[in-house]
Amino acid sequence: MDIYEKEIKEVFSQLRSAGYNPELCDTPVTYFKENPVQCGNPNMVGDVVGEDILLPRSLWAYGLTFRIRATGDSMKGADIMDGDDLTIMSGSQYKEGDIVLASIDGNYLLKAYYEDSLGRKWLLPKNEKYKGILLTEDMDVKIMGRVIEVARKDPHVSMRDCEKIVRATLDDEQVPTRLTEEQLKEIIIKIAPMVKKKRQWYAVFRPLVDKEYEKRGIYEGFCAKVAQWVPGHKNLPTASSLQRMAVMSFDKPVKLWDKNDAPVTGITFDYYQHIAELMLEKLKV
């Protein structure tokens, strides 16, 4: 046995006896030292050649990894500080609360990934100075990988903290103009002739839930308003007829409705979707 190998084993044995878990740094990993990633606002990374550093083999076993330096303070609540070296595992599975390296329209940043109850995807900071970023369809978003190692610990943001950050971000934003009751009445009167069956009123009700005019699963108030606003309609909604439709993808926001996972099929699905999308368009302020 090489004398140095013997000494290393003795040191490791002493550290394990003291309650530590030492690992040998024997695996090269690319380190982008001269091109840090922002923890605050998006920052262009560009094409930069990294240098190899040695890390424990256990990190490499997770998948393809690279090393990068963080700047900014938006993730300090997750114990990621300005100047920290981060190990990123690319192409890996990530879940809510994981801290990921993301690209938005070619700009790179470090944030916690989260999906709220409405199916909206967010990138969230862990610092009250910053607001969350709602990911929309017009953004070119790529998740490059997730953080699996910082000098101190594997960072993670709890689900409770994610929900708290989302609420704070939405509360701080300018409150959008809301339609009045009279305006909603006019919309319902215009849409009503398209509704041929009681259950089709669900395609009118769900967009109102998406826009927070009605509450999910509570149908009585909506049914009462429709009966008052279009009393002569031959197919007025009932709570039971609406509840039957709130299953599968129809129990999600309209933008997540899926023809392959819906309580109706074919042209019937298309008709429900047409009414719902028309409602969403009319609810825009």
Side-chain angles (χ1 to χ4, degrees), residues 39 70 72-86 99 110 125-127 147 149-157 161:
C39 289
D73 61 354
S74 78
M75 297 306 293
K76 71 175 185 179
D79 210 17
I80 296 180
M81 306 298 180
D82 184 40
D84 281 350
D85 289 334
L86 312 173
I99 297 175
L110 199 73
K126 195 64 173 69
N127 184 335
V147 177
E149 193 263 345
V150 181
R152 290 170 301 281
K153 65 177 183 180
D154 186 5
H156 189 84
V157 178
D161 283 345

Side-chain angles (χ1 to χ4, degrees), residues 24-40:
L24 186 64
C25 294
D26 59 353
T27 305
V29 172
T30 304
Y31 177 37
F32 298 95
K33 180 178 180 180
E34 301 303 325
N35 204 252
V37 62
Q38 284 280 358
C39 289

Side-chain angles (χ1 to χ4, degrees), residues 71-135:
T71 64
D73 61 354
S74 78
M75 297 306 293
K76 71 175 185 179
D79 210 17
I80 296 180
M81 306 298 180
D82 184 40
D84 281 350
D85 289 334
L86 312 173
T87 301
I88 309 293
M89 181 168 64
S90 64
S92 62
Q93 295 288 334
Y94 55 90
K95 58 186 182 298
E96 293 177 350
D98 281 347
I99 297 175
V100 298
L101 174 63
S103 167
I104 300 180
D105 298 328
N107 297 314
Y108 289 74
L109 68 165
L110 199 73
K111 290 286 182 286
Y113 173 81
Y114 178 67
E115 183 172 340
D116 65 21
S117 60
L118 296 179
R120 297 176 298 190
K121 295 178 174 59
W122 295 78
L123 291 177
L124 304 175
K126 195 64 173 69
N127 184 335
E128 294 180 356
K129 287 169 47 179
Y130 300 89
K131 294 182 179 180
I133 300 173
L134 176 61
L135 303 181

